[in-house]
């Protein structure tokens, strides 16, 4: 009998497979499907910081009832944002009432302002943990890389001091020294890091000469090598949990990320592409592999191929094709 139980963000999970935040995890009906098919925990779809703020500004502009009366505006400000959050809070409450797997709320944010006061409401609604997806697009040429990094740390610290439930930061791989950033975020005392978020991409329509959204919404099954490298490099050097996200589409890449040292693996694209029933196949593949290799529980092999545990750690640093493929026809 294989034991898949895992501790993630201090929470008890029956297995290390987690549904990543996506539109799919935004309805109670889907959440029930995920639980029915054996998922270990669920990250709800994100509520967006910009969404709350834009919604607030739009409605404020459309309503001149209060003119410039500041006292009324203060009240109105609070009231409007509260309204924007109600649906999300209801989703958390319903999920906690109807499901038994851990429910992780998610906020997409770019600043440490505005929304942090509302994190308490997500906690009060019963969320078991909070995942913050932070992506600051570095389009401001006057801002240094260090300043942007400091903003991430500020957000992590601010949210940590605002709530008592565990906090995970979902970050991007686009830092000059991503390992340093992982270490710095770990030192803020967050309970987990999710490596990595996948940014929404823009595209051009050359017929209409327009900027469009990229149709490339889902990851590809070979994309898992990005989190694989950085989890393998960092898994022995952090105190917090590490969740792998991006490109894990099947049982094989699931096993690989655990061997790299991931505490859990998050999946989104494969749920969309193969349906929630595919969760049972992914879990069976893991169990079959564990039986074949005579592992009784996940801790027996987690991190076994991380950088600090392999004979030739130089493999993790190889970035150029020349040496490996230089003389081969591919
Ligand atoms: C349709 C769709 C919607 C998503 N929405 C969110 C979101 O609201 N918040 C978030 O943090 N990530 C969101 N993601 C990103 C996923 O959580 C995940 O990090 C990313 O898709 C990489 O994982 P995958 O390769 O398993 O898809 C979304 C992904 C997809 C495909």
């Amino acid at each position: 009998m294989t034991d898949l139980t895992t501790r993630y963000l201090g929470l008890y999970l029956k297995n290390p497979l987690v549904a990543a935040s996506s539109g799919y995890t935004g309805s109670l009906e889907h959440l029930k499907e995920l639980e029915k098919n054996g998922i270990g925990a669920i990250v709800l779809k994100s509520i967006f910081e910009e969404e709350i703020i834009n919604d607030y500004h739009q409605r404020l502009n459309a309503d001149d009832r209060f003119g410039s009366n500041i006292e009324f505006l203060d009240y109105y400000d609070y009231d409007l944002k509260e309204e924007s959050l109600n649906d999300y809070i209801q989703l958390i409450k319903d999920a906690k009432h109807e499901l038994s797997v851990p429910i992780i709320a998610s906020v997409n944010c770019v600043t440490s302002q505005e929304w942090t006061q509302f994190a308490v409401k997500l906690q009060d609604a019963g969320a078991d943990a909070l995942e913050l997806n932070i992506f600051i697009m570095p389009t401001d040429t006057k801002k240094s890389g260090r300043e942007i990094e400091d903003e991430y740390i500020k957000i992590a610290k601010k949210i940590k001091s605002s709530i008592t439930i565990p906090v995970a930061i979902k970050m991007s791989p686009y830092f000059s020294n991503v390992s340093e950033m992982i270490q710095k975020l770990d030192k803020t005392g967050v309970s987990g890091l999710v490596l990595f978020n996948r940014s929404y991409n823009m595209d051009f329509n050359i017929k209409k000469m327009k900027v469009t959204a990229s149709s490339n919404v889902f990851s590809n099954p070979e994309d898992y090598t990005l989190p694989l490298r950085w989890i393998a490099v960092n898994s022995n050097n952090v105190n917090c949990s590490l969740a792998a996200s991006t490109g894990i589409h099947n049982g094989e890449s699931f096993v690989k990320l655990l061997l790299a040292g991931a505490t859990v693996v998050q999946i989104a694209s494969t749920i969309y592409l193969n349906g929630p029933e595919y969760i049972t196949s992914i879990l069976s593949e893991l169990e079959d592999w564990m039986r074949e290799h005579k592992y009784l529980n996940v801790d027996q092999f987690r991190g076994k191929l991380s950088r600090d545990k392999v004979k030739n750690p130089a493999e993790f640093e190889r970035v150029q094709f020349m040496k490996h493929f230089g003389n081969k026809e591919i």
Side-chain angles (χ1 to χ4, degrees):
M1 186 66 184
T2 48
D3 174 10
L4 300 184
T5 54
T6 297
R7 284 239 161 229
Y8 175 57
L9 311 178
L11 306 169
Y12 171 82
L13 272 59
K14 62 186 173 191
N15 65 62
L17 192 60
V18 174
S21 177
S22 78
Y24 193 89
T25 60
S27 89
L28 189 62
E29 190 194 330
H30 286 159
L31 302 184
K32 286 181 182 168
E33 281 296 311
L34 292 168
E35 178 163 87
K36 195 174 91 188
N37 287 288
I39 204 78
I42 299 172
V43 188
L44 298 180
K45 76 156 191 178
S46 298
I47 182 158
F48 286 73
E49 177 191 350
E50 306 101 294
E51 198 177 44
I52 298 169
I53 296 167
N54 284 344
D55 188 31
Y56 152 67
H57 285 305
Q58 264 168 28
R59 288 206 252 164
L60 198 61
N61 287 340
D63 193 329
D64 59 0
R65 266 184 299 165
F66 305 129
S68 57
N69 187 324
I70 296 300
E71 280 154 46
F72 277 118
L73 281 177
D74 275 353
Y75 173 78
Y76 194 45
D77 176 353
Y78 183 77
D79 206 33
L80 278 171
K81 288 179 187 175
E82 177 109 351
E83 204 182 308
S84 300
L85 272 180
N86 280 349
D87 289 351
Y88 199 73
I89 285 169
Q90 194 55 49
L91 179 66
I92 298 172
K93 284 185 177 161
D94 291 346
K96 284 305 295 174
H97 186 249
E98 302 272 336
L99 282 79
S100 58
V101 293
I103 299 296
I104 303 168
S106 167
V107 175
N108 244 290
C109 66
V110 289
T111 70
S112 54
Q113 313 300 317
E114 298 273 354
W115 65 273
T116 45
Q117 59 187 302
F118 297 109
V120 179
K121 291 186 183 292
L122 307 184
Q123 172 176 278
D124 292 347
D128 293 299
L130 178 65
E131 183 179 288
L132 291 187
N133 184 3
I134 316 177
F135 191 81
I136 303 171
M137 184 61 85
T139 46
D140 182 352
T141 53
K142 290 188 199 76
K143 222 174 204 179
S144 72
R146 196 54 94 190
E147 278 176 273
I148 296 174
E149 288 171 12
D150 289 347
E151 194 59 36
Y152 278 76
I153 305 297
K154 206 165 133 192
I155 295 171
K157 285 184 177 162
K158 176 101 182 264
I159 196 68
K160 271 281 303 162
S161 65
S162 311
I163 55 175
T164 54
I165 54 173
V167 173
I169 305 286
K170 190 174 186 181
M171 59 184 282
S172 92
Y174 305 118
F175 292 95
S176 296
N177 186 345
V178 70
S179 294
E180 187 207 21
M181 202 57 204
I182 289 169
Q183 302 291 327
K184 276 164 77 174
L185 283 167
D186 178 46
K187 287 199 178 74
T188 63
V190 291
S191 303
L193 294 173
V194 184
L195 313 183
F196 295 105
N197 54 24
R198 191 166 179 273
S199 55
Y200 151 90
N201 287 316
M202 44 147 290
D203 203 351
F204 290 159
N205 178 327
I206 57 171
K207 274 193 191 137
K208 295 186 177 162
M209 296 286 280
K210 268 185 159 175
V211 180
T212 59
S214 164
S215 55
N216 188 11
V217 177
F218 301 126
S219 63
N220 296 306
E222 59 274 17
D223 294 343
Y224 74 86
T225 53
L226 178 71
L228 187 77
R229 180 195 295 256
W230 295 112
I231 288 184
V233 166
N234 288 286
S235 57
N236 290 303
N237 306 317
V238 289
N239 292 315
C240 69
S241 307
L242 291 182
S245 172
T246 298
I248 300 104
H249 281 227
N250 52 47
E252 190 179 344
S253 45
F254 185 17
V255 170
K256 288 180 184 179
L257 265 304
L258 294 173
L259 283 168
T263 318
V264 297
V265 161
Q266 294 195 359
I267 51 169
S269 294
T270 196
I271 296 175
Y272 278 96
L273 298 169
N274 300 310
E277 305 77 21
Y278 195 59
I279 290 165
T280 53
S281 308
I282 298 179
L283 289 169
S284 301
E285 271 187 79
L286 170 65
E287 286 188 291
D288 291 347
W289 179 87
M290 284 172 64
R291 270 192 290 271
E292 197 186 320
H293 291 265
K294 308 213 170 359
Y295 290 125
L296 299 174
N297 62 60
V298 183
D299 284 338
Q300 288 178 335
F301 67 93
R302 184 184 277 113
K304 223 175 166 120
L305 293 183
S306 60
R307 184 179 62 175
D308 297 350
K309 303 260 174 76
V310 296
K311 279 202 189 111
N312 184 12
E315 289 295 338
F316 292 92
E317 274 126 49
R318 192 195 297 285
V319 284
Q320 305 297 358
F321 284 99
M322 201 174 71
K323 225 172 173 181
H324 193 64
F325 290 114
N327 300 321
K328 293 182 189 171
E329 281 183 24
I330 49 168

